[in-house]
PDB file of all heavy atoms in Angstrom:
ATOM      1  N   PHE U   1       2.658   5.827  -2.281  1.00  0.00           N
ATOM      2  CA  PHE U   1       3.291   5.810  -3.599  1.00  0.00           C
ATOM      3  C   PHE U   1       2.645   4.754  -4.497  1.00  0.00           C
ATOM      4  O   PHE U   1       2.397   4.987  -5.685  1.00  0.00           O
ATOM      5  CB  PHE U   1       4.784   5.536  -3.450  1.00  0.00           C
ATOM      6  CG  PHE U   1       5.539   5.532  -4.749  1.00  0.00           C
ATOM      7  CD1 PHE U   1       5.844   6.710  -5.391  1.00  0.00           C
ATOM      8  CD2 PHE U   1       5.935   4.339  -5.335  1.00  0.00           C
ATOM      9  CE1 PHE U   1       6.536   6.712  -6.599  1.00  0.00           C
ATOM     10  CE2 PHE U   1       6.628   4.327  -6.529  1.00  0.00           C
ATOM     11  CZ  PHE U   1       6.931   5.510  -7.173  1.00  0.00           C
ATOM     12  N   SER U   2       2.339   3.571  -3.926  1.00  0.00           N
ATOM     13  CA  SER U   2       1.650   2.534  -4.705  1.00  0.00           C
ATOM     14  C   SER U   2       0.256   2.984  -5.098  1.00  0.00           C
ATOM     15  O   SER U   2      -0.198   2.748  -6.227  1.00  0.00           O
ATOM     16  CB  SER U   2       1.572   1.234  -3.891  1.00  0.00           C
ATOM     17  OG  SER U   2       2.856   0.672  -3.693  1.00  0.00           O
ATOM     18  N   LEU U   3      -0.451   3.640  -4.170  1.00  0.00           N
ATOM     19  CA  LEU U   3      -1.802   4.109  -4.473  1.00  0.00           C
ATOM     20  C   LEU U   3      -1.781   5.184  -5.555  1.00  0.00           C
ATOM     21  O   LEU U   3      -2.686   5.253  -6.401  1.00  0.00           O
ATOM     22  CB  LEU U   3      -2.456   4.642  -3.198  1.00  0.00           C
ATOM     23  CG  LEU U   3      -2.694   3.607  -2.084  1.00  0.00           C
ATOM     24  CD1 LEU U   3      -3.227   4.287  -0.830  1.00  0.00           C
ATOM     25  CD2 LEU U   3      -3.646   2.510  -2.545  1.00  0.00           C
ATOM     26  N   GLU U   4      -0.751   6.019  -5.529  1.00  0.00           N
ATOM     27  CA  GLU U   4      -0.629   7.048  -6.564  1.00  0.00           C
ATOM     28  C   GLU U   4      -0.461   6.428  -7.945  1.00  0.00           C
ATOM     29  O   GLU U   4      -0.947   6.976  -8.947  1.00  0.00           O
ATOM     30  CB  GLU U   4       0.565   7.958  -6.250  1.00  0.00           C
ATOM     31  CG  GLU U   4       0.316   8.895  -5.079  1.00  0.00           C
ATOM     32  CD  GLU U   4       1.574   9.626  -4.647  1.00  0.00           C
ATOM     33  OE1 GLU U   4       2.652   9.304  -5.194  1.00  0.00           O
ATOM     34  OE2 GLU U   4       1.487  10.497  -3.770  1.00  0.00           O
ATOM     35  N   ASN U   5       0.212   5.289  -7.998  1.00  0.00           N
ATOM     36  CA  ASN U   5       0.377   4.605  -9.275  1.00  0.00           C
ATOM     37  C   ASN U   5      -0.952   4.111  -9.828  1.00  0.00           C
ATOM     38  O   ASN U   5      -1.081   3.892 -11.036  1.00  0.00           O
ATOM     39  CB  ASN U   5       1.346   3.429  -9.122  1.00  0.00           C
ATOM     40  CG  ASN U   5       2.795   3.858  -9.198  1.00  0.00           C
ATOM     41  OD1 ASN U   5       3.366   3.997 -10.267  1.00  0.00           O
ATOM     42  ND2 ASN U   5       3.387   4.099  -8.033  1.00  0.00           N
ATOM     43  N   ARG U   6      -1.941   3.918  -8.933  1.00  0.00           N
ATOM     44  CA  ARG U   6      -3.291   3.537  -9.369  1.00  0.00           C
ATOM     45  C   ARG U   6      -4.208   4.758  -9.502  1.00  0.00           C
ATOM     46  O   ARG U   6      -5.407   4.597  -9.742  1.00  0.00           O
ATOM     47  CB  ARG U   6      -3.896   2.541  -8.375  1.00  0.00           C
ATOM     48  CG  ARG U   6      -3.325   1.142  -8.476  1.00  0.00           C
ATOM     49  CD  ARG U   6      -4.017   0.201  -7.484  1.00  0.00           C
ATOM     50  NE  ARG U   6      -5.421   0.484  -7.349  1.00  0.00           N
ATOM     51  CZ  ARG U   6      -6.055   0.650  -6.164  1.00  0.00           C
ATOM     52  NH1 ARG U   6      -5.390   0.572  -5.034  1.00  0.00           N
ATOM     53  NH2 ARG U   6      -7.340   0.892  -6.138  1.00  0.00           N
ATOM     54  N   ARG U   7      -3.652   5.940  -9.283  1.00  0.00           N
ATOM     55  CA  ARG U   7      -4.415   7.190  -9.379  1.00  0.00           C
ATOM     56  C   ARG U   7      -5.562   7.243  -8.379  1.00  0.00           C
ATOM     57  O   ARG U   7      -6.671   7.744  -8.676  1.00  0.00           O
ATOM     58  CB  ARG U   7      -4.948   7.385 -10.802  1.00  0.00           C
ATOM     59  CG  ARG U   7      -3.836   7.475 -11.849  1.00  0.00           C
ATOM     60  CD  ARG U   7      -4.394   7.706 -13.235  1.00  0.00           C
ATOM     61  NE  ARG U   7      -3.315   7.775 -14.228  1.00  0.00           N
ATOM     62  CZ  ARG U   7      -3.500   7.957 -15.521  1.00  0.00           C
ATOM     63  NH1 ARG U   7      -4.750   8.114 -15.995  1.00  0.00           N
ATOM     64  NH2 ARG U   7      -2.486   8.012 -16.355  1.00  0.00           N
ATOM     65  N   VAL U   8      -5.316   6.738  -7.186  1.00  0.00           N
ATOM     66  CA  VAL U   8      -6.315   6.836  -6.119  1.00  0.00           C
ATOM     67  C   VAL U   8      -6.370   8.292  -5.651  1.00  0.00           C
ATOM     68  O   VAL U   8      -5.329   8.904  -5.377  1.00  0.00           O
ATOM     69  CB  VAL U   8      -5.943   5.914  -4.944  1.00  0.00           C
ATOM     70  CG1 VAL U   8      -6.879   6.142  -3.758  1.00  0.00           C
ATOM     71  CG2 VAL U   8      -5.986   4.459  -5.387  1.00  0.00           C
ATOM     72  N   PRO U   9      -7.549   8.897  -5.544  1.00  0.00           N
ATOM     73  CA  PRO U   9      -7.665  10.285  -5.095  1.00  0.00           C
ATOM     74  C   PRO U   9      -7.062  10.470  -3.697  1.00  0.00           C
ATOM     75  O   PRO U   9      -7.228   9.602  -2.826  1.00  0.00           O
ATOM     76  CB  PRO U   9      -9.180  10.535  -5.073  1.00  0.00           C
ATOM     77  CG  PRO U   9      -9.728   9.532  -6.042  1.00  0.00           C
ATOM     78  CD  PRO U   9      -8.858   8.320  -5.921  1.00  0.00           C
ATOM     79  N   PRO U  10      -6.365  11.573  -3.451  1.00  0.00           N
ATOM     80  CA  PRO U  10      -5.735  11.819  -2.148  1.00  0.00           C
ATOM     81  C   PRO U  10      -6.705  11.698  -0.979  1.00  0.00           C
ATOM     82  O   PRO U  10      -6.326  11.228   0.095  1.00  0.00           O
ATOM     83  CB  PRO U  10      -5.188  13.246  -2.284  1.00  0.00           C
ATOM     84  CG  PRO U  10      -4.935  13.403  -3.759  1.00  0.00           C
ATOM     85  CD  PRO U  10      -6.033  12.629  -4.437  1.00  0.00           C
ATOM     86  N   ALA U  11      -7.947  12.103  -1.172  1.00  0.00           N
ATOM     87  CA  ALA U  11      -8.921  12.060  -0.082  1.00  0.00           C
ATOM     88  C   ALA U  11      -9.229  10.632   0.361  1.00  0.00           C
ATOM     89  O   ALA U  11      -9.672  10.409   1.491  1.00  0.00           O
ATOM     90  CB  ALA U  11     -10.212  12.764  -0.506  1.00  0.00           C
ATOM     91  N   GLU U  12      -9.006   9.657  -0.511  1.00  0.00           N
ATOM     92  CA  GLU U  12      -9.306   8.258  -0.181  1.00  0.00           C
ATOM     93  C   GLU U  12      -8.091   7.497   0.331  1.00  0.00           C
ATOM     94  O   GLU U  12      -8.211   6.359   0.787  1.00  0.00           O
ATOM     95  CB  GLU U  12      -9.846   7.544  -1.430  1.00  0.00           C
ATOM     96  CG  GLU U  12     -11.132   8.147  -1.989  1.00  0.00           C
ATOM     97  CD  GLU U  12     -11.580   7.443  -3.262  1.00  0.00           C
ATOM     98  OE1 GLU U  12     -11.064   6.331  -3.527  1.00  0.00           O
ATOM     99  OE2 GLU U  12     -12.438   8.003  -3.977  1.00  0.00           O
ATOM    100  N   MET U  13      -6.914   8.118   0.270  1.00  0.00           N
ATOM    101  CA  MET U  13      -5.678   7.380   0.571  1.00  0.00           C
ATOM    102  C   MET U  13      -5.568   6.964   2.029  1.00  0.00           C
ATOM    103  O   MET U  13      -5.201   5.825   2.341  1.00  0.00           O
ATOM    104  CB  MET U  13      -4.462   8.211   0.163  1.00  0.00           C
ATOM    105  CG  MET U  13      -4.193   8.211  -1.328  1.00  0.00           C
ATOM    106  SD  MET U  13      -2.606   8.963  -1.712  1.00  0.00           S
ATOM    107  CE  MET U  13      -2.597   8.789  -3.494  1.00  0.00           C
ATOM    108  N   ARG U  14      -5.857   7.867   2.949  1.00  0.00           N
ATOM    109  CA  ARG U  14      -5.664   7.557   4.364  1.00  0.00           C
ATOM    110  C   ARG U  14      -6.444   6.305   4.765  1.00  0.00           C
ATOM    111  O   ARG U  14      -5.907   5.412   5.424  1.00  0.00           O
ATOM    112  CB  ARG U  14      -6.079   8.744   5.238  1.00  0.00           C
ATOM    113  CG  ARG U  14      -6.015   8.487   6.750  1.00  0.00           C
ATOM    114  CD  ARG U  14      -4.618   8.123   7.217  1.00  0.00           C
ATOM    115  NE  ARG U  14      -3.695   9.215   7.087  1.00  0.00           N
ATOM    116  CZ  ARG U  14      -3.506  10.156   8.034  1.00  0.00           C
ATOM    117  NH1 ARG U  14      -4.174  10.098   9.168  1.00  0.00           N
ATOM    118  NH2 ARG U  14      -2.630  11.117   7.849  1.00  0.00           N
ATOM    119  N   GLY U  15      -7.690   6.216   4.355  1.00  0.00           N
ATOM    120  CA  GLY U  15      -8.500   5.046   4.694  1.00  0.00           C
ATOM    121  C   GLY U  15      -7.932   3.768   4.099  1.00  0.00           C
ATOM    122  O   GLY U  15      -7.904   2.720   4.755  1.00  0.00           O
ATOM    123  N   GLN U  16      -7.468   3.837   2.849  1.00  0.00           N
ATOM    124  CA  GLN U  16      -6.913   2.640   2.201  1.00  0.00           C
ATOM    125  C   GLN U  16      -5.588   2.232   2.836  1.00  0.00           C
ATOM    126  O   GLN U  16      -5.300   1.044   2.983  1.00  0.00           O
ATOM    127  CB  GLN U  16      -6.753   2.890   0.703  1.00  0.00           C
ATOM    128  CG  GLN U  16      -8.065   3.050  -0.039  1.00  0.00           C
ATOM    129  CD  GLN U  16      -7.927   2.750  -1.525  1.00  0.00           C
ATOM    130  OE1 GLN U  16      -7.101   1.937  -1.933  1.00  0.00           O
ATOM    131  NE2 GLN U  16      -8.761   3.410  -2.329  1.00  0.00           N
ATOM    132  N   ILE U  17      -4.772   3.216   3.207  1.00  0.00           N
ATOM    133  CA  ILE U  17      -3.493   2.913   3.860  1.00  0.00           C
ATOM    134  C   ILE U  17      -3.730   2.198   5.179  1.00  0.00           C
ATOM    135  O   ILE U  17      -3.092   1.179   5.489  1.00  0.00           O
ATOM    136  CB  ILE U  17      -2.671   4.205   4.071  1.00  0.00           C
ATOM    137  CG1 ILE U  17      -2.180   4.736   2.728  1.00  0.00           C
ATOM    138  CG2 ILE U  17      -1.493   3.953   5.017  1.00  0.00           C
ATOM    139  CD1 ILE U  17      -1.548   6.117   2.808  1.00  0.00           C
ATOM    140  N   GLU U  18      -4.662   2.693   5.983  1.00  0.00           N
ATOM    141  CA  GLU U  18      -4.956   2.069   7.273  1.00  0.00           C
ATOM    142  C   GLU U  18      -5.524   0.661   7.089  1.00  0.00           C
ATOM    143  O   GLU U  18      -5.196  -0.255   7.850  1.00  0.00           O
ATOM    144  CB  GLU U  18      -5.915   2.952   8.066  1.00  0.00           C
ATOM    145  CG  GLU U  18      -5.269   4.276   8.505  1.00  0.00           C
ATOM    146  CD  GLU U  18      -6.245   5.213   9.187  1.00  0.00           C
ATOM    147  OE1 GLU U  18      -7.473   4.950   9.107  1.00  0.00           O
ATOM    148  OE2 GLU U  18      -5.789   6.207   9.798  1.00  0.00           O
ATOM    149  N   ARG U  19      -6.361   0.480   6.071  1.00  0.00           N
ATOM    150  CA  ARG U  19      -6.916  -0.859   5.803  1.00  0.00           C
ATOM    151  C   ARG U  19      -5.822  -1.838   5.406  1.00  0.00           C
ATOM    152  O   ARG U  19      -5.781  -2.979   5.884  1.00  0.00           O
ATOM    153  CB  ARG U  19      -7.960  -0.770   4.689  1.00  0.00           C
ATOM    154  CG  ARG U  19      -8.504  -2.142   4.247  1.00  0.00           C
ATOM    155  CD  ARG U  19      -9.456  -2.005   3.080  1.00  0.00           C
ATOM    156  NE  ARG U  19      -8.832  -1.380   1.917  1.00  0.00           N
ATOM    157  CZ  ARG U  19      -8.032  -2.033   1.066  1.00  0.00           C
ATOM    158  NH1 ARG U  19      -7.737  -3.315   1.262  1.00  0.00           N
ATOM    159  NH2 ARG U  19      -7.511  -1.402   0.028  1.00  0.00           N
ATOM    160  N   LEU U  20      -4.910  -1.412   4.538  1.00  0.00           N
ATOM    161  CA  LEU U  20      -3.818  -2.285   4.091  1.00  0.00           C
ATOM    162  C   LEU U  20      -2.888  -2.641   5.247  1.00  0.00           C
ATOM    163  O   LEU U  20      -2.417  -3.778   5.350  1.00  0.00           O
ATOM    164  CB  LEU U  20      -3.036  -1.591   2.974  1.00  0.00           C
ATOM    165  CG  LEU U  20      -3.759  -1.504   1.628  1.00  0.00           C
ATOM    166  CD1 LEU U  20      -3.113  -0.444   0.744  1.00  0.00           C
ATOM    167  CD2 LEU U  20      -3.740  -2.859   0.930  1.00  0.00           C
ATOM    168  N   MET U  21      -2.642  -1.680   6.134  1.00  0.00           N
ATOM    169  CA  MET U  21      -1.780  -1.960   7.281  1.00  0.00           C
ATOM    170  C   MET U  21      -2.431  -2.961   8.221  1.00  0.00           C
ATOM    171  O   MET U  21      -1.758  -3.848   8.773  1.00  0.00           O
ATOM    172  CB  MET U  21      -1.443  -0.663   8.003  1.00  0.00           C
ATOM    173  CG  MET U  21      -0.517   0.251   7.194  1.00  0.00           C
ATOM    174  SD  MET U  21      -0.165   1.827   8.003  1.00  0.00           S
ATOM    175  CE  MET U  21       0.798   1.292   9.429  1.00  0.00           C
ATOM    176  N   ARG U  22      -3.741  -2.875   8.405  1.00  0.00           N
ATOM    177  CA  ARG U  22      -4.440  -3.870   9.228  1.00  0.00           C
ATOM    178  C   ARG U  22      -4.373  -5.251   8.578  1.00  0.00           C
ATOM    179  O   ARG U  22      -4.210  -6.272   9.267  1.00  0.00           O
ATOM    180  CB  ARG U  22      -5.902  -3.464   9.438  1.00  0.00           C
ATOM    181  CG  ARG U  22      -6.102  -2.299  10.393  1.00  0.00           C
ATOM    182  CD  ARG U  22      -7.563  -2.186  10.813  1.00  0.00           C
ATOM    183  NE  ARG U  22      -8.441  -1.978   9.657  1.00  0.00           N
ATOM    184  CZ  ARG U  22      -8.769  -0.793   9.159  1.00  0.00           C
ATOM    185  NH1 ARG U  22      -8.269   0.310   9.703  1.00  0.00           N
ATOM    186  NH2 ARG U  22      -9.585  -0.687   8.133  1.00  0.00           N
ATOM    187  N   GLU U  23      -4.474  -5.284   7.266  1.00  0.00           N
ATOM    188  CA  GLU U  23      -4.491  -6.550   6.545  1.00  0.00           C
ATOM    189  C   GLU U  23      -3.188  -7.325   6.718  1.00  0.00           C
ATOM    190  O   GLU U  23      -3.189  -8.547   6.785  1.00  0.00           O
ATOM    191  CB  GLU U  23      -4.750  -6.300   5.054  1.00  0.00           C
ATOM    192  CG  GLU U  23      -5.052  -7.554   4.259  1.00  0.00           C
ATOM    193  CD  GLU U  23      -5.534  -7.235   2.857  1.00  0.00           C
ATOM    194  OE1 GLU U  23      -5.968  -6.088   2.617  1.00  0.00           O
ATOM    195  OE2 GLU U  23      -5.483  -8.127   2.000  1.00  0.00           O
ATOM    196  N   VAL U  24      -2.071  -6.615   6.810  1.00  0.00           N
ATOM    197  CA  VAL U  24      -0.769  -7.289   6.971  1.00  0.00           C
ATOM    198  C   VAL U  24      -0.261  -7.179   8.410  1.00  0.00           C
ATOM    199  O   VAL U  24       0.912  -7.450   8.679  1.00  0.00           O
ATOM    200  CB  VAL U  24       0.277  -6.718   5.995  1.00  0.00           C
ATOM    201  CG1 VAL U  24      -0.160  -6.934   4.562  1.00  0.00           C
ATOM    202  CG2 VAL U  24       0.557  -5.250   6.266  1.00  0.00           C
ATOM    203  N   ARG U  25      -1.128  -6.762   9.330  1.00  0.00           N
ATOM    204  CA  ARG U  25      -0.798  -6.692  10.761  1.00  0.00           C
ATOM    205  C   ARG U  25       0.406  -5.780  11.016  1.00  0.00           C
ATOM    206  O   ARG U  25       1.343  -6.143  11.725  1.00  0.00           O
ATOM    207  CB  ARG U  25      -0.533  -8.089  11.323  1.00  0.00           C
ATOM    208  CG  ARG U  25      -1.753  -9.001  11.292  1.00  0.00           C
ATOM    209  CD  ARG U  25      -1.405 -10.408  11.687  1.00  0.00           C
ATOM    210  NE  ARG U  25      -0.541 -11.032  10.700  1.00  0.00           N
ATOM    211  CZ  ARG U  25       0.046 -12.223  10.880  1.00  0.00           C
ATOM    212  NH1 ARG U  25      -0.116 -12.859  12.012  1.00  0.00           N
ATOM    213  NH2 ARG U  25       0.801 -12.746   9.941  1.00  0.00           N
ATOM    214  N   LEU U  26       0.362  -4.614  10.410  1.00  0.00           N
ATOM    215  CA  LEU U  26       1.435  -3.634  10.552  1.00  0.00           C
ATOM    216  C   LEU U  26       0.949  -2.529  11.483  1.00  0.00           C
ATOM    217  O   LEU U  26       0.414  -1.506  11.059  1.00  0.00           O
ATOM    218  CB  LEU U  26       1.805  -3.068   9.177  1.00  0.00           C
ATOM    219  CG  LEU U  26       3.176  -2.391   9.030  1.00  0.00           C
ATOM    220  CD1 LEU U  26       4.292  -3.366   9.360  1.00  0.00           C
ATOM    221  CD2 LEU U  26       3.345  -1.869   7.611  1.00  0.00           C
ATOM    222  N   ASP U  27       1.113  -2.738  12.787  1.00  0.00           N
ATOM    223  CA  ASP U  27       0.613  -1.812  13.799  1.00  0.00           C
ATOM    224  C   ASP U  27       1.708  -0.799  14.125  1.00  0.00           C
ATOM    225  O   ASP U  27       2.466  -0.946  15.088  1.00  0.00           O
ATOM    226  CB  ASP U  27       0.215  -2.591  15.058  1.00  0.00           C
ATOM    227  CG  ASP U  27      -0.445  -1.699  16.101  1.00  0.00           C
ATOM    228  OD1 ASP U  27      -0.829  -0.562  15.747  1.00  0.00           O
ATOM    229  OD2 ASP U  27      -0.545  -2.121  17.264  1.00  0.00           O
ATOM    230  N   LEU U  28       1.802   0.240  13.282  1.00  0.00           N
ATOM    231  CA  LEU U  28       2.862   1.235  13.407  1.00  0.00           C
ATOM    232  C   LEU U  28       2.299   2.632  13.188  1.00  0.00           C
ATOM    233  O   LEU U  28       1.280   2.795  12.512  1.00  0.00           O
ATOM    234  CB  LEU U  28       3.952   0.993  12.344  1.00  0.00           C
ATOM    235  CG  LEU U  28       4.767  -0.295  12.411  1.00  0.00           C
ATOM    236  CD1 LEU U  28       5.608  -0.430  11.159  1.00  0.00           C
ATOM    237  CD2 LEU U  28       5.648  -0.283  13.650  1.00  0.00           C
ATOM    238  N   PRO U  29       2.962   3.655  13.722  1.00  0.00           N
ATOM    239  CA  PRO U  29       2.574   5.036  13.370  1.00  0.00           C
ATOM    240  C   PRO U  29       2.785   5.250  11.871  1.00  0.00           C
ATOM    241  O   PRO U  29       3.762   4.765  11.285  1.00  0.00           O
ATOM    242  CB  PRO U  29       3.538   5.894  14.198  1.00  0.00           C
ATOM    243  CG  PRO U  29       4.023   5.004  15.295  1.00  0.00           C
ATOM    244  CD  PRO U  29       4.045   3.625  14.733  1.00  0.00           C
ATOM    245  N   LEU U  30       1.899   6.009  11.254  1.00  0.00           N
ATOM    246  CA  LEU U  30       1.978   6.227   9.812  1.00  0.00           C
ATOM    247  C   LEU U  30       3.273   6.922   9.416  1.00  0.00           C
ATOM    248  O   LEU U  30       3.814   6.681   8.329  1.00  0.00           O
ATOM    249  CB  LEU U  30       0.780   7.051   9.342  1.00  0.00           C
ATOM    250  CG  LEU U  30      -0.587   6.356   9.418  1.00  0.00           C
ATOM    251  CD1 LEU U  30      -1.687   7.336   9.023  1.00  0.00           C
ATOM    252  CD2 LEU U  30      -0.612   5.142   8.534  1.00  0.00           C
ATOM    253  N   HIS U  31       3.793   7.776  10.275  1.00  0.00           N
ATOM    254  CA  HIS U  31       4.998   8.535   9.934  1.00  0.00           C
ATOM    255  C   HIS U  31       6.270   7.851  10.430  1.00  0.00           C
ATOM    256  O   HIS U  31       7.330   8.485  10.463  1.00  0.00           O
ATOM    257  CB  HIS U  31       4.901   9.955  10.497  1.00  0.00           C
ATOM    258  CG  HIS U  31       3.792  10.764   9.894  1.00  0.00           C
ATOM    259  ND1 HIS U  31       3.827  11.193   8.583  1.00  0.00           N
ATOM    260  CD2 HIS U  31       2.608  11.180  10.400  1.00  0.00           C
ATOM    261  CE1 HIS U  31       2.716  11.866   8.311  1.00  0.00           C
ATOM    262  NE2 HIS U  31       1.957  11.873   9.389  1.00  0.00           N
ATOM    263  N   LYS U  32       6.189   6.584  10.774  1.00  0.00           N
ATOM    264  CA  LYS U  32       7.364   5.838  11.230  1.00  0.00           C
ATOM    265  C   LYS U  32       8.396   5.756  10.112  1.00  0.00           C
ATOM    266  O   LYS U  32       8.089   5.355   8.979  1.00  0.00           O
ATOM    267  CB  LYS U  32       6.949   4.427  11.621  1.00  0.00           C
ATOM    268  CG  LYS U  32       8.080   3.549  12.143  1.00  0.00           C
ATOM    269  CD  LYS U  32       8.393   3.868  13.588  1.00  0.00           C
ATOM    270  CE  LYS U  32       9.337   2.845  14.178  1.00  0.00           C
ATOM    271  NZ  LYS U  32       9.677   3.152  15.576  1.00  0.00           N
ATOM    272  N   PRO U  33       9.668   6.151  10.365  1.00  0.00           N
ATOM    273  CA  PRO U  33      10.700   6.021   9.324  1.00  0.00           C
ATOM    274  C   PRO U  33      10.945   4.556   8.964  1.00  0.00           C
ATOM    275  O   PRO U  33      11.073   3.706   9.851  1.00  0.00           O
ATOM    276  CB  PRO U  33      11.936   6.644   9.978  1.00  0.00           C
ATOM    277  CG  PRO U  33      11.410   7.532  11.053  1.00  0.00           C
ATOM    278  CD  PRO U  33      10.174   6.853  11.559  1.00  0.00           C
ATOM    279  N   ILE U  34      11.011   4.249   7.695  1.00  0.00           N
ATOM    280  CA  ILE U  34      11.244   2.882   7.242  1.00  0.00           C
ATOM    281  C   ILE U  34      12.603   2.382   7.723  1.00  0.00           C
ATOM    282  O   ILE U  34      12.766   1.193   8.042  1.00  0.00           O
ATOM    283  CB  ILE U  34      11.157   2.809   5.704  1.00  0.00           C
ATOM    284  CG1 ILE U  34       9.728   3.138   5.252  1.00  0.00           C
ATOM    285  CG2 ILE U  34      11.564   1.432   5.193  1.00  0.00           C
ATOM    286  CD1 ILE U  34       9.566   3.230   3.743  1.00  0.00           C
ATOM    287  N   SER U  35      13.572   3.277   7.826  1.00  0.00           N
ATOM    288  CA  SER U  35      14.920   2.887   8.240  1.00  0.00           C
ATOM    289  C   SER U  35      14.963   2.319   9.650  1.00  0.00           C
ATOM    290  O   SER U  35      15.918   1.627  10.017  1.00  0.00           O
ATOM    291  CB  SER U  35      15.861   4.081   8.148  1.00  0.00           C
ATOM    292  OG  SER U  35      15.425   5.133   9.012  1.00  0.00           O
ATOM    293  N   GLU U  36      13.940   2.585  10.461  1.00  0.00           N
ATOM    294  CA  GLU U  36      13.919   2.099  11.834  1.00  0.00           C
ATOM    295  C   GLU U  36      13.150   0.790  11.988  1.00  0.00           C
ATOM    296  O   GLU U  36      13.021   0.276  13.101  1.00  0.00           O
ATOM    297  CB  GLU U  36      13.311   3.163  12.753  1.00  0.00           C
ATOM    298  CG  GLU U  36      14.154   4.432  12.848  1.00  0.00           C
ATOM    299  CD  GLU U  36      13.573   5.450  13.805  1.00  0.00           C
ATOM    300  OE1 GLU U  36      12.587   5.112  14.505  1.00  0.00           O
ATOM    301  OE2 GLU U  36      14.091   6.574  13.871  1.00  0.00           O
ATOM    302  N   LEU U  37      12.636   0.238  10.898  1.00  0.00           N
ATOM    303  CA  LEU U  37      11.865  -0.998  10.977  1.00  0.00           C
ATOM    304  C   LEU U  37      12.782  -2.213  10.966  1.00  0.00           C
ATOM    305  O   LEU U  37      13.841  -2.214  10.337  1.00  0.00           O
ATOM    306  CB  LEU U  37      10.888  -1.095   9.803  1.00  0.00           C
ATOM    307  CG  LEU U  37       9.867   0.021   9.635  1.00  0.00           C
ATOM    308  CD1 LEU U  37       8.905  -0.322   8.491  1.00  0.00           C
ATOM    309  CD2 LEU U  37       9.106   0.274  10.917  1.00  0.00           C
ATOM    310  N   SER U  38      12.357  -3.286  11.633  1.00  0.00           N
ATOM    311  CA  SER U  38      13.066  -4.557  11.569  1.00  0.00           C
ATOM    312  C   SER U  38      12.821  -5.200  10.207  1.00  0.00           C
ATOM    313  O   SER U  38      11.948  -4.773   9.436  1.00  0.00           O
ATOM    314  CB  SER U  38      12.585  -5.497  12.675  1.00  0.00           C
ATOM    315  OG  SER U  38      11.241  -5.906  12.419  1.00  0.00           O
ATOM    316  N   GLY U  39      13.568  -6.263   9.919  1.00  0.00           N
ATOM    317  CA  GLY U  39      13.402  -6.950   8.640  1.00  0.00           C
ATOM    318  C   GLY U  39      12.009  -7.506   8.447  1.00  0.00           C
ATOM    319  O   GLY U  39      11.446  -7.441   7.350  1.00  0.00           O
TER     320      GLY U  39
END
């Protein structure tokens, strides 16, 4: 949703999402429900 606000092409999103998750040490499945995450 944040990437869409910057008009990032859909084909580039997966790579950027994985890079951002590595940057903040978020080792989770991409389809993990947010409601199941800890604080």
Side-chain angles (χ1 to χ4, degrees):
F1 182 76
S2 293
L3 296 175
E4 287 171 354
N5 277 276
R6 285 182 37 230
R7 299 182 181 179
V8 173
E12 299 177 15
M13 283 190 179
R14 176 60 67 87
Q16 293 203 30
I17 290 171
E18 292 175 347
R19 175 184 59 79
L20 288 162
M21 291 177 67
R22 287 194 300 271
E23 191 170 341
V24 299
R25 296 173 293 172
L26 200 60
D27 186 14
L28 295 171
L30 292 176
H31 296 291
K32 181 79 170 179
I34 295 174
S35 61
E36 295 182 7
L37 302 185
S38 69

